[in-house]
Amino acid sequence: MNHLKVLGVHRNRKFSPNHIGNDDAIFSLVAQNLEKMQCHVTICCEDEFLQKEEIQEEYIFTMARQKEVVKKLQQLENEGKKIVNSGFGIENCFRINMTNGLIENGIPYPKSFIVPTTYAQNEVFDQLPGKGFWIKRGDFHAIHKEDVTFAASIKEAKEILREYTFRDIHDAVISQHLVGDLVKFYAVRDTDFFFWFYPYDNNHHKYTGYEAINGQSLYHEFDVNELQKVANASAEALGVHIYGGDAIVSKDGSFHIIDLNDWPSFAPCREEAASFIAQSIVQQFSR
């Protein structure tokens, strides 16, 4: 596998809310590690990738999320090119796809409903236990703070849905609010790398206002090995190898995966993660 010609497609900055520098850093470190492994790496941004009439490289690693880029990646995969993360896996991490994929594969996930943003009834809300609801744009990841919003009441939830319609967001995921500790994790599938932490304790979360809703960490005991097992099963279900996510750990030690992302920033552990990511990429290229 020496001297592979590899194309790296960087993530556009609008898809890195509050993490532009961190996304830049992990991508650069992985590129450096690939070069140490005798790969010849060429880097381009998503817009440059779209403008290319022909892709010479047979191997591509990417943090891209722009929908037009994802479709082009999928087309290239169908033509036989090796791509990590897969364009199909990236699309599977879009909110509605992720919700359906995790639930269908038996992953512990909050009780949720997918509704059009014009939804004005009460039936869905009446079926969600607990106090309050999470309203999440359905078509994509969170780009703006409002794309994942807590609603304390049905009235507030409907106002959020109405705001989504003004932004041409046609569908939303409505999920129950789970009480417990928020835990964030970063991982590389089919490797031993798994890093987890309490994001509020480390001032590492896109939207710090969530702490007031979730509450401070109470450090409930839980089985880390089981979390790693379920996280890997989630990544496998969605078809991604480089991933991260969030879980809520309940008082009894049970947990639910509430989000899974293709190739996050790995900010607290990027130096160690970069070599595992590069090794995983080369391993996927060799298959």
Side-chain angles (χ1 to χ4, degrees):
M1 294 297 292
N2 288 346
H3 305 295
L4 289 181
K5 291 185 176 180
V6 178
L7 177 65
V9 184
H10 208 294
R11 179 173 297 160
N12 276 5
R13 292 190 167 189
K14 69 176 181 178
F15 301 128
S16 300
N18 297 337
H19 280 299
I20 291 172
N22 290 331
D23 284 352
D24 285 346
I26 186 62
F27 195 78
S28 296
L29 279 175
V30 170
Q32 292 169 22
N33 274 271
L34 287 172
E35 288 175 339
K36 290 178 183 177
M37 298 170 73
Q38 305 304 310
C39 294
H40 177 73
V41 179
T42 302
I43 303 294
C44 71
C45 69
E46 294 188 51
D47 294 335
E48 291 170 335
F49 178 73
L50 282 177
Q51 292 169 6
K52 289 178 178 286
E53 294 184 4
E54 185 177 359
I55 305 297
Q56 300 288 343
E57 294 86 355
E58 292 298 315
Y59 306 98
I60 301 171
F61 71 101
T62 180
M63 291 181 77
R65 284 186 175 165
Q66 190 175 164
K67 289 184 177 181
E68 293 84 358
V69 174
V70 173
K71 290 300 181 186
K72 186 171 181 177
L73 290 168
Q74 292 173 348
Q75 180 182 348
L76 292 170
E77 283 181 81
N78 287 333
E79 295 172 0
K81 293 188 185 294
K82 301 285 186 70
I83 302 175
V84 183
N85 279 314
S86 162
F88 297 98
I90 295 170
E91 186 175 45
N92 286 340
C93 291
F94 295 174
R95 185 76 60 182
I96 286 177
N97 301 337
M98 179 199 71
T99 298
N100 286 331
L102 296 184
I103 291 174
E104 289 170 2
N105 283 277
I107 303 300
Y109 189 80
K111 187 173 183 179
S112 301
F113 293 93
I114 297 165
V115 301
T117 51
T118 55
Y119 182 79
Q121 289 74 45
N122 289 350
E123 182 181 0
V124 161
F125 300 106
D126 291 339
Q127 294 182 63
L128 293 175
K131 296 182 179 179
F133 320 93
W134 287 95
I135 315 298
K136 307 174 184 182
R137 70 179 295 168
D139 61 333
F140 207 60
H141 302 272
I143 301 174
H144 305 288
K145 181 179 179 181
E146 294 77 14
D147 291 347
V148 176
T149 303
F150 178 76
S153 66
I154 295 177
K155 179 182 178 182
E156 188 178 348
K158 290 180 178 179
E159 289 174 354
I160 295 165
L161 290 175
R162 186 164 171 264
E163 189 266 340
Y164 282 4
T165 65
F166 294 147
R167 293 173 53 203
D168 291 323
I169 299 171
H170 302 294
D171 298 284
V173 177
I174 302 177
S175 299
Q176 71 178 117
H177 172 60
L178 298 174
V179 176
D181 292 336
L182 176 65
V183 168
K184 182 173 284 291
F185 55 85
Y186 296 108
V188 183
R189 199 174 112 209
D190 298 330
T191 75
D192 293 330
F193 184 82
F194 187 77
F195 181 93
W196 71 276
F197 64 107
Y198 296 98
Y200 298 141
D201 291 4
N202 294 273
N203 195 29
H204 182 90
H205 201 274
K206 290 179 183 177
Y207 310 120
T208 54
Y210 289 170
E211 185 177 8
I213 300 164
N214 284 28
Q216 293 182 338
S217 300
L218 297 178
Y219 311 107
H220 302 311
E221 291 188 10
F222 69 99
D223 188 336
V224 174
N225 291 330
E226 184 64 18
L227 177 61
Q228 182 176 3
K229 179 181 175 181
V230 172
N232 274 308
S234 302
E236 185 174 1
L238 299 182
V240 293
H241 280 82
I242 307 163
Y243 71 95
D246 301 275
I248 296 292
V249 179
S250 300
K251 186 177 181 179
D252 63 1
S254 64
F255 55 82
H256 291 77
I257 304 295
I258 61 170
D259 197 13
L260 198 95
N261 294 305
D262 54 286
W263 202 330
S265 69
F266 288 83
C269 54
R270 73 169 71 99
E271 294 289 343
E272 182 183 0
S275 62
F276 282 93
I277 294 171
Q279 290 168 26
S280 177
I281 289 171
V282 171
Q283 184 180 45
Q284 296 309 306
F285 288 167
S286 66
R287 289 182 176 177

